[in-house]
Amino acid sequence: MKVSFGKRELATVGMMLFIAFILRLVFFSEKGYQIDTNDFLSWMNTAATCGIRDFYNVTWCDYPPLNIYLFWGFGSIINNLSLQGTDLAIYIMKLGPNLFDLATAFIIFVFARKHVSFKLAILASILYAFNPAVIFNVAIWGQFDAIYTFFLILSLYLILDSKPHWAMAFFILGILTKPQSIALAPIFLYMILQKNSWKIKSIIFSLLVAAIVVILVILPFNWSNPIEFITSKYFGAYATYPYTTLNAFNIWAIGGMWVSDLQGIGLLTPYIIGWVMFALVAVFTIYFVYKKSPKNDAIILFAAFVLFFAFFMLPTRIHERYLFPALAILALLFPLMKKARPLYVALTATCFINQAYVLSALVNAYPYGADLSGQPIVIIVSLINSVVFVYVLMLMYCELTGKKQKLKFPSVSFSKNLSKEVTKNENP
């Protein structure tokens, strides 16, 4: 990443990130959900004690391979400092995701600064670094969603900066961290083709980079067949929870939580219907990018947001935290698009309520949690998310057809200077 900013700008961003870290540090004492916390600490101890090679043979873990390196690193710190079993171990556990999260905030600043003024760029970074839904996820609950979000935002930065091979490497790292990274695959693969100018040799090289990254990450583990090793870690975990929604306040939550997604008429099961709907939205999104302009960064970012939002709303077996990456992209779009601003506020609110309400239910009804089906807050938030989702699709349709309520994308790319429309947004 070629970063060239003034010392005062970097000092200001550094101070902002330091304040954001101190704020998060205040919440590190919160233990989140006991089962999650115990699992993370146990996996860290196992990785540090037994090593990476035999990790999956020694313990059950439904997290993909790249996480094991993190478990090993932070578990080694905990063990070397003799913190195992102490409250300080939780601080070390939460340190990793929060550092990655602040790195994402910095990338957002760098990304935005390529297009807009310093004030607007740091505003975008602040909106993410101090987002209550984000802080709740990484600092209070202690989840690891910030790590794959960092890799995905960095891969978007690199693909738009015409570095498809590097972008592919970091995108694969995102998938090797959390399987839900696949939500970005449709637009990302389209951009890989576009940035490689549809040249076969360049495309093959990008695919070769992906294969090399996968092999390098899984090489230290004990396996005989790499394909079987990878598929077992992803499809095995996904098949464990055959329910319409795993506490995500989406379209399925309106009809109840933890309902079997395999019961239906023939192939018309919620599982199939959900993935078909996501596929249709993905095709529509790629068509939208193709028709509007694949060289406009704002359009690509909006398409990435739509895919993450659709991934949260439509497929089954979705957790309450899967809206997390969409907030980072909306923070990036905030200074570029006026219509992204109410979306950012609305989804920040629904994401925060979803996470906080679910965690409260899990803690108060430990160890199995409570069935939230039919509760007013679940219905209301799910309906709000559904209305916002339909509104987003309508905006895309209107943009394509030239009707009213157009999105009015500013013309921004790494190769262009600030557009007049972006400059007008100096004080949002």
Side-chain angles (χ1 to χ4, degrees), residues 33-51:
Y33 182 42
Q34 187 174 339
I35 290 181
D36 291 341
T37 300
N38 291 343
D39 281 343
F40 292 144
L41 291 175
S42 174
W43 292 337
M44 288 179 178
N45 181 57
T46 300
T49 304
C50 301

Side-chain angles (χ1 to χ4, degrees), residues 123-201:
L123 170 64
S125 186
I126 288 173
L127 286 171
Y128 183 78
F130 293 91
N131 185 298
V134 171
I135 293 175
F136 186 91
N137 180 287
V138 295
I140 296 178
W141 197 331
Q143 290 290 346
F144 280 60
D145 300 283
I147 299 174
Y148 81 93
T149 298
F150 164 80
F151 288 124
L152 296 183
I153 295 298
L154 182 55
S155 68
L156 281 173
Y157 178 100
L158 293 168
I159 195 66
L160 292 176
D161 200 21
S162 297
K163 295 180 175 64
H165 307 319
W166 280 107
M168 176 63 84
F170 283 102
F171 177 66
I172 295 300
L173 288 177
I175 292 180
L176 290 170
T177 306
K178 277 294 184 75
Q180 53 265 38
S181 302
I182 200 70
L184 193 63
I187 186 63
F188 186 83
L189 294 178
Y190 177 80
M191 291 303 298
I192 284 289
L193 296 173
Q194 196 269 335
K195 291 296 182 179
N196 280 315
S197 301
W198 300 85
K199 296 179 179 178
I200 299 299
K201 289 184 178 180

Side-chain angles (χ1 to χ4, degrees), residues 120-349:
L120 286 176
I122 197 169
L123 170 64
S125 186
I126 288 173
L127 286 171
Y128 183 78
F130 293 91
N131 185 298
V134 171
I135 293 175
F136 186 91
N137 180 287
V138 295
I140 296 178
W141 197 331
Q143 290 290 346
F144 280 60
D145 300 283
I147 299 174
Y148 81 93
T149 298
F150 164 80
F151 288 124
L152 296 183
I153 295 298
L154 182 55
S155 68
L156 281 173
Y157 178 100
L158 293 168
I159 195 66
L160 292 176
D161 200 21
S162 297
K163 295 180 175 64
H165 307 319
W166 280 107
M168 176 63 84
F170 283 102
F171 177 66
I172 295 300
L173 288 177
I175 292 180
L176 290 170
T177 306
K178 277 294 184 75
Q180 53 265 38
S181 302
I182 200 70
L184 193 63
I187 186 63
F188 186 83
L189 294 178
Y190 177 80
M191 291 303 298
I192 284 289
L193 296 173
Q194 196 269 335
K195 291 296 182 179
N196 280 315
S197 301
W198 300 85
K199 296 179 179 178
I200 299 299
K201 289 184 178 180
S202 297
I203 294 170
I204 291 176
F205 187 77
S206 290
L207 295 176
L208 182 62
V209 168
I212 291 174
V213 171
V214 172
I215 293 299
L216 288 177
V217 170
I218 70 172
L219 190 61
F221 291 90
N222 185 11
W223 49 266
S224 57
N225 186 317
I227 296 178
E228 181 182 355
F229 175 75
I230 289 293
T231 54
S232 65
K233 297 297 170 285
Y234 286 87
F235 295 107
Y238 184 70
T240 306
Y241 306 100
Y243 305 104
T244 51
T245 172
L246 311 180
N247 293 325
F249 293 179
N250 54 21
I251 62 170
W252 300 105
I254 299 173
M257 296 282 193
W258 299 86
V259 178
S260 173
D261 67 349
L262 298 177
Q263 295 181 358
I265 303 175
L267 293 177
L268 293 179
T269 62
Y271 174 78
I272 298 296
I273 293 172
W275 280 109
V276 168
M277 288 192 296
F278 176 77
L280 292 174
V281 172
V283 171
F284 176 58
T285 303
I286 299 302
Y287 178 74
F288 174 79
V289 172
Y290 169 75
K291 293 295 291 185
K292 295 306 298 180
S293 174
K295 296 182 180 180
N296 189 325
D297 291 358
I299 290 178
I300 302 303
L301 291 174
F302 189 80
F305 154 70
V306 171
L307 288 174
F308 273 121
F309 195 12
F311 187 79
F312 175 79
M313 292 298 299
L314 302 178
T316 58
R317 311 183 188 187
I318 300 299
H319 281 281
E320 67 286 332
R321 308 181 312 276
Y322 288 8
L323 190 59
F324 187 94
L327 300 179
I329 300 177
L330 281 177
L332 264 172
L333 286 170
F334 195 94
L336 299 177
M337 291 175 54
K338 289 183 178 180
K339 283 188 169 60
R341 296 166 192 170
L343 295 176
Y344 181 79
V345 174
L347 294 184
T348 291

